[in-house]
Amino acid sequence: MKFNFVKNRKYFFTFSIIVVIAALVLSFILPPNISIEFKGGTIITYSYENEVDQNAFKATVENIAGRATVSESNSLATGAKNLVVSLASNDGITLEKLNEITEAVEKDYGVKYVESSTVNPTIGKELLIKSLIAVALAAVLMIVYIGWRFRKIGGWSAGVCSVIALLNDILVIYLTFVIFRFNFDTNFIAVVLTILGYSVNDTIVIYDRIRENRKTMGAEVPIGELVNTSLNQCLGRTFNTTLTTVSSLVVICVVALIFNVSSILTFAFPMMIGMIHGVYSSLCIAPQLWVLWCERKKNK
């Protein structure tokens, strides 16, 4: 039994439009948590020996200095357990505020001050700009590569449609970070670039199948039927490949939750969501946009 992707494309497009609208609306309702790496701020490290309630510790810090992120780390030199407090701000915190935080947490939780450092907001902005340039450059290179490789079936239009679908993948990753209140840091850029690679690989496999089927089915076959046949032929390979990767990511997420390793969780979970949506965009968005493009071009 074959699934008619082309016939149901209006539902796929509707869902993608909903994703775009949701991203815009949630950006105002739930402003993204920009990390110190991109915004600048102060990082304070405290060591501890006995167990510390991280939620209560975080609440104490936030009552004094506003929104904060608290994570655990281990010193490679001494083996000591540390709590790392990240306070994102444009100007960092004052010495008086630092002393106030330290006095409160040392008194209530028995931790000891180790060190603090300030990240210049200018450096953070430069890192953000360079990261966005990397994403944009990756998108341009994808268009060029797909355009050249599939030039016999209108590759440039296929490349543009692929990038539009990839933008939808990025929005889904963005929504994941916003909804689950993950910090927007280098993990976000790493997830985006990785998903771009996975998703475009699936898309290239599909276009390659379309090119081969064009040779065997002939030029008189309608573009919709050609694409639909090719997509159904690629379903098994696409699902199996993604299922393998997603299964590994599920295990990583479970381990990260058990051991409370937030840095791994904020990479693996968005990666898993992006992988699942990448399959959707490769099958339901990019090829359907290309069919729509080709049909309108033919009508003109």
Side-chain angles (χ1 to χ4, degrees):
M1 181 178 178
K2 293 184 178 181
F3 182 77
N4 196 330
F5 288 92
V6 176
K7 182 180 179 181
N8 293 282
R9 65 189 179 191
K10 61 181 179 180
Y11 300 112
F12 304 145
F13 294 160
T14 300
F15 175 75
S16 297
I17 292 172
I18 291 174
V19 169
V20 174
I21 295 174
L24 294 174
V25 172
L26 286 177
S27 294
F28 293 99
I29 299 176
L30 298 172
N33 293 330
I34 308 298
S35 73
I36 286 178
E37 292 164 298
F38 292 151
K39 188 176 181 179
T42 302
I43 300 174
I44 314 171
T45 304
Y46 297 98
S47 65
Y48 69 98
E49 295 180 357
N50 300 322
E51 291 299 320
V52 176
D53 185 341
Q54 282 196 35
N55 292 328
F57 183 92
K58 179 180 178 182
T60 300
V61 174
E62 290 185 335
N63 287 336
I64 300 172
R67 182 184 297 172
T69 300
V70 178
S71 59
E72 292 182 342
S73 69
N74 291 319
S75 173
L76 295 177
T78 63
K81 295 185 294 184
N82 297 325
L83 286 175
V84 180
V85 179
S86 300
L87 299 166
S89 64
N90 292 327
D91 303 317
I93 61 173
T94 62
L95 181 60
E96 291 76 11
K97 187 72 68 175
L98 173 61
N99 291 333
E100 185 180 353
I101 295 171
T102 300
E103 289 177 5
V105 297
E106 286 182 342
K107 177 182 177 182
D108 295 341
Y109 305 100
V111 300
K112 294 182 179 180
Y113 172 82
V114 177
E115 63 179 359
S116 63
S117 59
T118 300
V119 178
N120 191 305
T122 302
I123 296 176
K125 290 179 180 178
E126 289 179 356
L127 177 60
L128 177 59
I129 292 173
K130 289 178 180 178
S131 299
L132 294 176
I133 291 175
V135 174
L137 181 60
V140 172
L141 291 176
M142 288 174 191
I143 293 177
V144 173
Y145 175 73
I146 294 175
W148 175 81
R149 180 169 178 179
F150 302 104
R151 56 193 180 278
K152 293 184 179 180
I153 59 170
W156 293 107
S157 58
V160 173
C161 293
S162 298
V163 170
I164 294 174
L166 292 175
L167 291 176
N168 204 247
D169 292 335
I170 294 174
L171 284 176
V172 168
I173 298 170
Y174 170 83
L175 283 175
T176 303
F177 273 80
V178 170
I179 292 172
F180 291 93
R181 309 311 294 155
F182 294 154
N183 284 335
F184 279 80
D185 53 16
T186 50
N187 269 358
F188 174 74
I189 301 300
V191 171
V192 167
L193 291 175
T194 306
I195 292 302
L196 288 181
Y198 268 99
S199 186
V200 79
N201 179 66
D202 286 339
T203 304
I204 287 174
V205 170
I206 291 170
Y207 282 139
D208 193 56
R209 177 68 64 167
I210 292 172
R211 181 178 61 181
E212 295 301 317
N213 284 340
R214 173 59 78 190
K215 296 177 182 178
T216 57
M217 297 174 67
E220 69 279 358
V221 176
I223 186 67
E225 181 181 346
L226 172 67
V227 170
N228 206 57
T229 300
S230 302
L231 290 175
N232 279 278
Q233 291 174 348
C234 293
L235 273 179
R237 180 264 179 200
T238 302
F239 280 133
N240 290 335
T241 302
T242 304
L243 182 62
T244 303
T245 308
V246 169
S247 299
S248 301
L249 291 171
V250 169
V251 174
I252 294 173
C253 289
V254 172
V255 173
L257 284 172
I258 292 174
F259 293 98
N260 194 27
V261 186
S262 59
S263 59
I264 295 179
L265 182 64
T266 57
F267 174 82
F269 184 73
M271 181 75 176
M272 181 178 66
I273 300 298
M275 284 288 299
I276 295 172
H277 190 271
V279 174
Y280 167 79
S281 66
S282 296
L283 293 172
C284 305
I285 302 299
Q288 313 316 320
L289 284 173
W290 187 59
V291 170
L292 186 63
W293 183 313
C294 293
E295 288 178 347
R296 291 194 174 186
K297 182 178 179 180
K298 182 178 180 181
N299 292 334
K300 287 183 179 180

